[in-house]
Every structure is written in C-alpha cells, then in structure tokens.
Amino acid sequence: MLLGCLPGVAAAVALVLCAYGVERAAEPSSAAVTAREAAAHTAPRPPIVSRAAWVGDAGREQPPPRYDDEVVAVFVHHTDSPNDYDCAEAPIHIRNVYEGQTSAREWDDIGYNFVVDRCGTIYEGRAGGTDRPVTGAHTQGFNHRTTGIAALGTFTAGVPVPHAMERAIAELAAWKLGLSGTDPRSDVRLVSSNGRSRYAAGTTAMLPALAGHTDGFMTSCPGAALQARLPKIREMAAELQSRGPDAGHRQEKQQQEEAQEKAQDRAQGRAQGRNRSQSRG
C-alpha cells in the first residue's frame, strides 16, 4: 500500500476508510447466512444399495428420468407385501414390486425413490441418481419436489415396525431434506398436480415435510402402525440434522390433534349412548 507516502491526516483518513471497508466486507450477506444455516442442518448420506442389486435382468426400456429443482418433502409408504422375509431376500421382494408396477400397472419404472427393508438396509428405487431430486411416481398429485420412501412390508394396525427400519427412514429423510435445508418436523407448501389427490389440481396444500402417503392421497398407506410412528421418525431425523428440540411445533400440533380425536370419540360415545336409551324407551 501507499499509505506511508501520504501526509499524516490523509493517511489517517485512508486508514479509517480502509478499516471500514474491511469490516463491511467481513459482514456476511443474507444469502451467505442462509447457506450457512442450511449447511448447519444437513445430515450425512446413509449407505444406499444400488438398484442393480435387485433389478437384475428384469430391467425394462424406459424414458430418461425427470428431475425437480430440489426435494422439500418426503412421503412414507409401505409396499403391502409380506413381512416375514429374510433380509437377504429383500432384493427379490423389491423386484416383485417393480415387476408388479411395470407390468400390471404399465409404469415405466418402480414408483418409489427408495425402499427400506426390515433390517434397515436402504435400496435405490427409481432410476436417476440417489443424490438428485428425481421425480417419482409414489404419491399422486405430489410427486414433484418430493421423495418416496417405501417400507418393505405391510404395517397395518398392530403390526410392529422394526426399529432398524424406522432409523433408516429417519436417516434417509434427514439427508434428503437436509439438502434443501428443510426441517423434518416442519410443514411445507406443495402444489397438487392432480385432482385425484386429497386436493384439487393447482391447490397449494400445507403438508408435513415428512408425511405419510395418506396425507396427500386417499389411501390407508403406509398403514396405521407406520403412520403412528412418523412423529418419532421426524424427531429422529431432526436430531440427525442437529436441530434443537420441538422445532416447528409439530409435537404441540400432534397433541392438539390427539385431543380433538379424543373429544370426537367422547362425543360419538355420548351420541351412541343416547341412541341406545331412545331405542330402549
């Protein structure tokens, strides 16, 4: 620098301006802050088995995969297939799901982006790259900007959900949602693309960032047992993203919904009691 060659006053002014410039340059932009905050809540990529492990020679000719800009929500499903499989046989069962969807339903590929077996092994589902926002075919009306994770098995009411499976779903959701800085316990805005979903086409719906298939479509999937475990899976995913407790107030919302359900049950019970009294009279 040439400050040493300037007169005393000029040098002092130049030093003040220089220092101010350095201070201003050191202040992070809002974009940089946002990027750092998003990075602070990312999660590591869990191990994922390639689709080559299950598709074998059953692969069909298909069009190139489609992509969205990012993934802001996860839909959890079950495959509605047997639960009593040996985990070494999981690729066979995934292949059966694939063949059912591509043959009977004439889809171009398996609809789910990922499949998780009861031992917690994660398999790549739909082609296109596990680390990319591949447009799936898992939740009619809400396939865009979402990822479909299918639990291999059937998880209707009373069926235990293996802890290893829950953990793997949480790890996968934490990683995929972390890439867009999304809290697994938050609600996100998704636009329905199909009137056969729970929302008319073009409607903006507020849905859980980690949702069950039934949240977006009229179905019992992912089964009552797995749906009931989603609050716990959300918390595990948030913890994996190094988030603080109870962000997004989903726990409070869940408690409110449970209170409403109990109130409805009590009201129905009173109504049934009145009907029985009237029938006896």
Side-chain angles (χ1 to χ4, degrees), residues 42 65 95 100 103 112 130 143-145 152 163 168 175 179 191 201 221 253:
T42 57
R95 179 169 170 168
S103 297
Y112 313 118
T130 58
N143 288 313
H144 293 286
R145 310 188 83 209
L152 188 62
H163 176 73
W175 169 58
L179 296 176
V191 179
C221 178
K253 181 180 178 181

Side-chain angles (χ1 to χ4, degrees), residues 76-79 112 212-215 217-224 227:
V76 178
H77 307 255
H78 68 172
T79 57
Y112 313 118
H213 187 184
T214 187
D215 291 314
F217 185 72
M218 290 72 72
T219 176
S220 60
C221 178
Q227 182 75 17

Side-chain angles (χ1 to χ4, degrees), residues 10 25 75 96 131 173 176 271:
F75 280 98
N96 290 340
D131 59 341
K176 292 299 288 187

Side-chain angles (χ1 to χ4, degrees), residues 103-234:
S103 297
R105 299 185 182 182
E106 298 184 343
W107 293 1
D108 60 0
D109 194 1
I110 191 170
Y112 313 118
N113 298 94
F114 302 93
V115 181
V116 179
D117 73 11
R118 65 186 186 86
C119 291
T121 302
I122 302 171
Y123 291 86
E124 176 186 13
R126 197 168 183 84
T130 58
D131 59 341
R132 301 188 66 183
V134 179
T135 306
H138 50 83
T139 306
Q140 194 166 48
F142 296 104
N143 288 313
H144 293 286
R145 310 188 83 209
T146 67
T147 277
I149 302 175
L152 188 62
T154 302
F155 297 97
T156 49
V159 176
V161 182
H163 176 73
M165 175 179 276
E166 290 185 8
R167 180 73 183 183
I169 293 173
E171 290 176 352
L172 184 54
W175 169 58
K176 292 299 288 187
L177 293 176
L179 296 176
S180 62
T182 303
D183 186 335
R185 298 165 296 189
S186 66
D187 289 326
V188 296
R189 288 182 173 84
L190 296 174
V191 179
S192 174
S193 63
N194 192 308
R196 293 180 181 176
S197 73
R198 287 191 181 276
Y199 301 86
T203 301
T204 299
M206 286 294 291
L207 295 172
L210 203 167
H213 187 184
T214 187
D215 291 314
F217 185 72
M218 290 72 72
T219 176
S220 60
C221 178
L226 184 51
Q227 182 75 17
R229 299 300 298 166
L230 293 187
K232 177 63 176 178
I233 294 172
R234 292 184 188 109

